[in-house]
């Protein structure tokens, strides 16, 4: 028998959160860089 281990799950919420943060950060990258440059 195999032990069901959460860390061995190929789809976990860490990857989901990383994907959502990436999709959110890419369109806002120019805004963030603009704040850094002009402040």
């Amino acid at each position: 028998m195999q032990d069901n281990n959460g860390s061995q799950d190929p789809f976990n919420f860490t990857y989901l959160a990383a994907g959502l943060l990436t999709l959110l950060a890419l369109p806002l990258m120019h805004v963030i860089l603009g704040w850094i440059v002009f402040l």
Side-chain angles (χ1 to χ4, degrees):
M1 281 202 234
Q2 293 179 350
D3 291 330
N4 289 330
N5 195 355
S7 63
Q8 299 297 325
D9 190 7
F11 180 79
N12 58 12
F13 290 106
T14 305
Y15 295 135
L16 181 63
L20 289 175
L21 285 174
T22 303
L23 289 175
L24 248 167
L26 287 177
L28 293 176
M29 191 67 68
H30 66 282
V31 176
I32 296 168
L33 291 176
W35 284 344
I36 292 171
V37 168
F38 290 113
L39 282 181

